[in-house]
Amino acid sequence: MLLLFVMSVWAQDPELELPTDDAVVLNERGTWGGIGLPYASANSTDGLGLGLGGELFHRPEGEEDGYDFKLTLSTYFAVNGRYQNHFVQVERFGERNNIFFQAGYSRWSSMLYAGAGGADVLVLRPQQAESGNRQSAPFAMASVSFPVDEFDLYIQGFTRFAAVTPNPGGVLDVDRPYGAEGGGYGQVAIGVTKTTWDRFPLPRDGAYLEMAVLGNIAGDRDGQIEPSGGIFVEAIRWKSFGRHLTIGARGNLTNMVGTQPFFIQDLLPGRLKDEFGFEQPLTGYGRTRTRGDGLWAAAVEVRPYVGRIQKGFFDMALYGSVYAEEAFLFSGTDPGPHMPTVGVGFDLVWQGATVLRPFAAWGWRAEPGQKRRGVPQFGLALKSPL
């Protein structure tokens, strides 16, 4: 399923001594590293796809994991032509501020729409009723954060424009939610974060807390303008048990006041705009199928550590992953029925900075008039389930 082509550039002497405790001694200049990734991926929503991605990152001196600068490029096409996504992303962590920027373009020629909120998403409709919708959507996001005492204060802006053609007679065409033929959306978020983890991108110990208020403005193709607002809270805790086991837990809460366009309802909390975090919350119910005006979710993950190989530029760590989530997906102020997920997978961590996570997950959905049953989902993610 996954083919790796690895490249790396090191800003240090290549004759590294590898200590027995799996740590690499870095010199004072820090380290430059990277990965080029021609890959084949698949998920149960968009099918098999081929992509090409790459990351270039710098790690500070004395550090074995993480980075203070990362440039990410990605282009991806589904073989069946249903979906494509292309983006560039820059992350920089400095002493006075942190900067994040992402811009890209997504296009679906057969996008799924099953409604908004848990009651709609849990219903298994015929494929032809949910699919066949066309959407083109460029997007951009930028944020800057500053340290304030023990917290980081951030300001973030996000925008997405969508051109949509509903499938005649399909769910989207019949329901005609706000923005059914596209429009524009902008969001400004002001929030605080507090981080005490021991390392990233896969912490073993520590915690993460984020709280934000959101202000939104949307307009559809008919010129109808809809302001809205909301709150977002996320808390994550990791605890290690010896060297080879980590248990983590995550809680999400968000809720919006006002009307949200349908083409923004898939960007739920935890889904880093746009592609990275799609496989975090509600994994068992499909990517663009899961839409709503808010989310309550709690998840737990058990992550065993298998080992790490470090030979010259080759640096790969392997972890297992077993996780479960309970969530409520809002339609307006209605949380709807509960939406449990269980999943398994493993994390490949390249040079302590890039995460690749193949996974399989199950959610419980039902055909009209029948009992809910487990339905598998699968895919390749670039973030952990927490």
Side-chain angles (χ1 to χ4, degrees), residues 116-141:
D120 287 343
V121 170
L122 292 179
V123 177
L124 281 170
R125 297 177 177 86
Q127 176 76 11
Q128 60 270 25
E130 295 186 355
S131 63
N133 306 291
R134 297 178 178 272
Q135 176 176 300
S136 298
F139 58 90
M141 179 175 68

mmCIF file of all heavy atoms in Angstrom, residues 116-141:
data_model
loop_
_atom_site.group_PDB
_atom_site.id
_atom_site.type_symbol
_atom_site.label_atom_id
_atom_site.label_comp_id
_atom_site.label_asym_id
_atom_site.label_seq_id
_atom_site.Cartn_x
_atom_site.Cartn_y
_atom_site.Cartn_z
ATOM 1 N N ALA A 116 -26.131 16.564 7.603
ATOM 2 C CA ALA A 116 -25.324 17.148 8.666
ATOM 3 C C ALA A 116 -25.875 16.707 10.012
ATOM 4 O O ALA A 116 -27.089 16.666 10.219
ATOM 5 C CB ALA A 116 -25.314 18.668 8.568
ATOM 6 N N GLY A 117 -24.969 16.374 10.935
ATOM 7 C CA GLY A 117 -25.383 15.901 12.244
ATOM 8 C C GLY A 117 -25.440 14.390 12.303
ATOM 9 O O GLY A 117 -25.558 13.695 11.284
ATOM 10 N N GLY A 118 -25.367 13.852 13.520
ATOM 11 C CA GLY A 118 -25.277 12.414 13.694
ATOM 12 C C GLY A 118 -26.452 11.634 13.147
ATOM 13 O O GLY A 118 -26.286 10.562 12.565
ATOM 14 N N ALA A 119 -27.676 12.153 13.293
ATOM 15 C CA ALA A 119 -28.851 11.406 12.825
ATOM 16 C C ALA A 119 -28.797 11.159 11.326
ATOM 17 O O ALA A 119 -29.214 10.101 10.849
ATOM 18 C CB ALA A 119 -30.121 12.174 13.197
ATOM 19 N N ASP A 120 -28.283 12.119 10.556
ATOM 20 C CA ASP A 120 -28.164 11.943 9.105
ATOM 21 C C ASP A 120 -26.997 11.035 8.740
ATOM 22 O O ASP A 120 -27.112 10.152 7.882
ATOM 23 C CB ASP A 120 -27.975 13.293 8.409
ATOM 24 C CG ASP A 120 -29.248 14.119 8.373
ATOM 25 O OD1 ASP A 120 -30.332 13.538 8.584
ATOM 26 O OD2 ASP A 120 -29.157 15.334 8.146
ATOM 27 N N VAL A 121 -25.850 11.257 9.379
ATOM 28 C CA VAL A 121 -24.629 10.518 9.023
ATOM 29 C C VAL A 121 -24.770 9.022 9.318
ATOM 30 O O VAL A 121 -24.198 8.183 8.615
ATOM 31 C CB VAL A 121 -23.425 11.120 9.772
ATOM 32 C CG1 VAL A 121 -22.187 10.243 9.616
ATOM 33 C CG2 VAL A 121 -23.144 12.527 9.262
ATOM 34 N N LEU A 122 -25.550 8.663 10.339
ATOM 35 C CA LEU A 122 -25.688 7.252 10.704
ATOM 36 C C LEU A 122 -26.536 6.467 9.709
ATOM 37 O O LEU A 122 -26.531 5.239 9.724
ATOM 38 C CB LEU A 122 -26.308 7.126 12.098
ATOM 39 C CG LEU A 122 -25.436 7.610 13.261
ATOM 40 C CD1 LEU A 122 -26.174 7.444 14.569
ATOM 41 C CD2 LEU A 122 -24.117 6.868 13.292
ATOM 42 N N VAL A 123 -27.263 7.134 8.834
ATOM 43 C CA VAL A 123 -28.145 6.450 7.895
ATOM 44 C C VAL A 123 -27.343 5.999 6.671
ATOM 45 O O VAL A 123 -26.637 6.792 6.050
ATOM 46 C CB VAL A 123 -29.297 7.367 7.451
ATOM 47 C CG1 VAL A 123 -30.175 6.666 6.423
ATOM 48 C CG2 VAL A 123 -30.123 7.784 8.660
ATOM 49 N N LEU A 124 -27.466 4.730 6.332
ATOM 50 C CA LEU A 124 -26.807 4.175 5.143
ATOM 51 C C LEU A 124 -27.756 4.297 3.953
ATOM 52 O O LEU A 124 -28.703 3.526 3.809
ATOM 53 C CB LEU A 124 -26.431 2.711 5.371
ATOM 54 C CG LEU A 124 -25.177 2.450 6.205
ATOM 55 C CD1 LEU A 124 -25.074 0.972 6.560
ATOM 56 C CD2 LEU A 124 -23.933 2.904 5.465
ATOM 57 N N ARG A 125 -27.527 5.263 3.120
ATOM 58 C CA ARG A 125 -28.343 5.445 1.918
ATOM 59 C C ARG A 125 -27.663 4.769 0.734
ATOM 60 O O ARG A 125 -26.469 4.462 0.777
ATOM 61 C CB ARG A 125 -28.532 6.928 1.629
ATOM 62 C CG ARG A 125 -29.287 7.694 2.720
ATOM 63 C CD ARG A 125 -29.355 9.166 2.367
ATOM 64 N NE ARG A 125 -30.124 9.929 3.341
ATOM 65 C CZ ARG A 125 -29.610 10.436 4.449
ATOM 66 N NH1 ARG A 125 -28.334 10.235 4.726
ATOM 67 N NH2 ARG A 125 -30.367 11.135 5.276
ATOM 68 N N PRO A 126 -28.389 4.565 -0.365
ATOM 69 C CA PRO A 126 -27.741 4.038 -1.568
ATOM 70 C C PRO A 126 -26.610 4.949 -2.017
ATOM 71 O O PRO A 126 -26.674 6.176 -1.873
ATOM 72 C CB PRO A 126 -28.880 4.007 -2.599
ATOM 73 C CG PRO A 126 -30.132 3.948 -1.784
ATOM 74 C CD PRO A 126 -29.843 4.738 -0.540
ATOM 75 N N GLN A 127 -25.543 4.359 -2.545
ATOM 76 C CA GLN A 127 -24.374 5.114 -2.957
ATOM 77 C C GLN A 127 -24.733 6.247 -3.912
ATOM 78 O O GLN A 127 -24.222 7.363 -3.806
ATOM 79 C CB GLN A 127 -23.359 4.174 -3.628
ATOM 80 C CG GLN A 127 -22.118 4.853 -4.185
ATOM 81 C CD GLN A 127 -21.130 5.243 -3.110
ATOM 82 O OE1 GLN A 127 -21.275 4.826 -1.968
ATOM 83 N NE2 GLN A 127 -20.138 6.030 -3.467
ATOM 84 N N GLN A 128 -25.637 5.991 -4.853
ATOM 85 C CA GLN A 128 -25.968 7.010 -5.851
ATOM 86 C C GLN A 128 -26.704 8.204 -5.245
ATOM 87 O O GLN A 128 -26.724 9.293 -5.831
ATOM 88 C CB GLN A 128 -26.806 6.412 -6.986
ATOM 89 C CG GLN A 128 -28.134 5.805 -6.567
ATOM 90 C CD GLN A 128 -28.023 4.340 -6.212
ATOM 91 O OE1 GLN A 128 -26.955 3.871 -5.838
ATOM 92 N NE2 GLN A 128 -29.127 3.606 -6.373
ATOM 93 N N ALA A 129 -27.308 8.033 -4.063
ATOM 94 C CA ALA A 129 -27.987 9.155 -3.422
ATOM 95 C C ALA A 129 -27.005 10.099 -2.737
ATOM 96 O O ALA A 129 -27.234 11.310 -2.681
ATOM 97 C CB ALA A 129 -29.003 8.641 -2.403
ATOM 98 N N GLU A 130 -25.902 9.556 -2.206
ATOM 99 C CA GLU A 130 -24.930 10.378 -1.493
ATOM 100 C C GLU A 130 -23.845 10.933 -2.399
ATOM 101 O O GLU A 130 -23.298 12.016 -2.140
ATOM 102 C CB GLU A 130 -24.276 9.563 -0.375
ATOM 103 C CG GLU A 130 -25.227 9.146 0.725
ATOM 104 C CD GLU A 130 -24.509 8.459 1.873
ATOM 105 O OE1 GLU A 130 -23.280 8.223 1.773
ATOM 106 O OE2 GLU A 130 -25.162 8.159 2.875
ATOM 107 N N SER A 131 -23.474 10.218 -3.445
ATOM 108 C CA SER A 131 -22.317 10.580 -4.266
ATOM 109 C C SER A 131 -22.745 11.425 -5.473
ATOM 110 O O SER A 131 -23.903 11.792 -5.631
ATOM 111 C CB SER A 131 -21.595 9.323 -4.739
ATOM 112 O OG SER A 131 -22.437 8.548 -5.577
ATOM 113 N N GLY A 132 -21.771 11.731 -6.327
ATOM 114 C CA GLY A 132 -22.044 12.423 -7.579
ATOM 115 C C GLY A 132 -22.034 13.936 -7.504
ATOM 116 O O GLY A 132 -22.284 14.609 -8.509
ATOM 117 N N ASN A 133 -21.754 14.507 -6.339
ATOM 118 C CA ASN A 133 -21.701 15.960 -6.204
ATOM 119 C C ASN A 133 -20.311 16.468 -6.584
ATOM 120 O O ASN A 133 -19.296 15.864 -6.225
ATOM 121 C CB ASN A 133 -22.011 16.366 -4.761
ATOM 122 C CG ASN A 133 -23.317 15.786 -4.266
ATOM 123 O OD1 ASN A 133 -24.388 16.172 -4.714
ATOM 124 N ND2 ASN A 133 -23.234 14.830 -3.346
ATOM 125 N N ARG A 134 -20.260 17.585 -7.292
ATOM 126 C CA ARG A 134 -18.984 18.174 -7.704
ATOM 127 C C ARG A 134 -18.679 19.401 -6.845
ATOM 128 O O ARG A 134 -19.559 20.231 -6.605
ATOM 129 C CB ARG A 134 -19.020 18.560 -9.178
ATOM 130 C CG ARG A 134 -19.200 17.380 -10.130
ATOM 131 C CD ARG A 134 -19.280 17.859 -11.574
ATOM 132 N NE ARG A 134 -19.398 16.743 -12.505
ATOM 133 C CZ ARG A 134 -18.376 16.097 -13.036
ATOM 134 N NH1 ARG A 134 -17.130 16.488 -12.764
ATOM 135 N NH2 ARG A 134 -18.562 15.094 -13.864
ATOM 136 N N GLN A 135 -17.417 19.498 -6.418
ATOM 137 C CA GLN A 135 -17.013 20.664 -5.632
ATOM 138 C C GLN A 135 -15.548 20.986 -5.897
ATOM 139 O O GLN A 135 -14.690 20.101 -5.854
ATOM 140 C CB GLN A 135 -17.209 20.433 -4.130
ATOM 141 C CG GLN A 135 -16.715 21.597 -3.264
ATOM 142 C CD GLN A 135 -17.003 21.406 -1.797
ATOM 143 O OE1 GLN A 135 -18.154 21.283 -1.389
ATOM 144 N NE2 GLN A 135 -15.960 21.368 -0.980
ATOM 145 N N SER A 136 -15.263 22.252 -6.159
ATOM 146 C CA SER A 136 -13.899 22.763 -6.255
ATOM 147 C C SER A 136 -13.724 23.795 -5.152
ATOM 148 O O SER A 136 -14.566 24.685 -4.993
ATOM 149 C CB SER A 136 -13.642 23.410 -7.618
ATOM 150 O OG SER A 136 -13.792 22.459 -8.659
ATOM 151 N N ALA A 137 -12.629 23.684 -4.386
ATOM 152 C CA ALA A 137 -12.514 24.534 -3.200
ATOM 153 C C ALA A 137 -11.057 24.893 -2.910
ATOM 154 O O ALA A 137 -10.341 24.111 -2.285
ATOM 155 C CB ALA A 137 -13.129 23.826 -1.994
ATOM 156 N N PRO A 138 -10.597 26.077 -3.334
ATOM 157 C CA PRO A 138 -9.308 26.581 -2.846
ATOM 158 C C PRO A 138 -9.440 27.043 -1.395
ATOM 159 O O PRO A 138 -10.518 27.469 -0.957
ATOM 160 C CB PRO A 138 -9.001 27.748 -3.781
ATOM 161 C CG PRO A 138 -10.336 28.208 -4.264
ATOM 162 C CD PRO A 138 -11.210 26.989 -4.318
ATOM 163 N N PHE A 139 -8.347 26.967 -0.633
ATOM 164 C CA PHE A 139 -8.390 27.335 0.776
ATOM 165 C C PHE A 139 -7.034 27.896 1.194
ATOM 166 O O PHE A 139 -6.011 27.653 0.542
ATOM 167 C CB PHE A 139 -8.739 26.122 1.648
ATOM 168 C CG PHE A 139 -7.773 24.974 1.505
ATOM 169 C CD1 PHE A 139 -6.656 24.866 2.313
ATOM 170 C CD2 PHE A 139 -7.992 23.996 0.543
ATOM 171 C CE1 PHE A 139 -5.773 23.809 2.167
ATOM 172 C CE2 PHE A 139 -7.111 22.934 0.385
ATOM 173 C CZ PHE A 139 -5.996 22.836 1.195
ATOM 174 N N ALA A 140 -7.022 28.637 2.285
ATOM 175 C CA ALA A 140 -5.786 29.180 2.845
ATOM 176 C C ALA A 140 -5.985 29.422 4.327
ATOM 177 O O ALA A 140 -7.095 29.736 4.781
ATOM 178 C CB ALA A 140 -5.381 30.480 2.157
ATOM 179 N N MET A 141 -4.907 29.271 5.092
ATOM 180 C CA MET A 141 -4.948 29.516 6.523
ATOM 181 C C MET A 141 -3.597 30.056 6.968
ATOM 182 O O MET A 141 -2.556 29.629 6.472
ATOM 183 C CB MET A 141 -5.263 28.245 7.303
ATOM 184 C CG MET A 141 -5.304 28.447 8.822
ATOM 185 S SD MET A 141 -5.802 26.977 9.731
ATOM 186 C CE MET A 141 -4.407 25.914 9.428
#
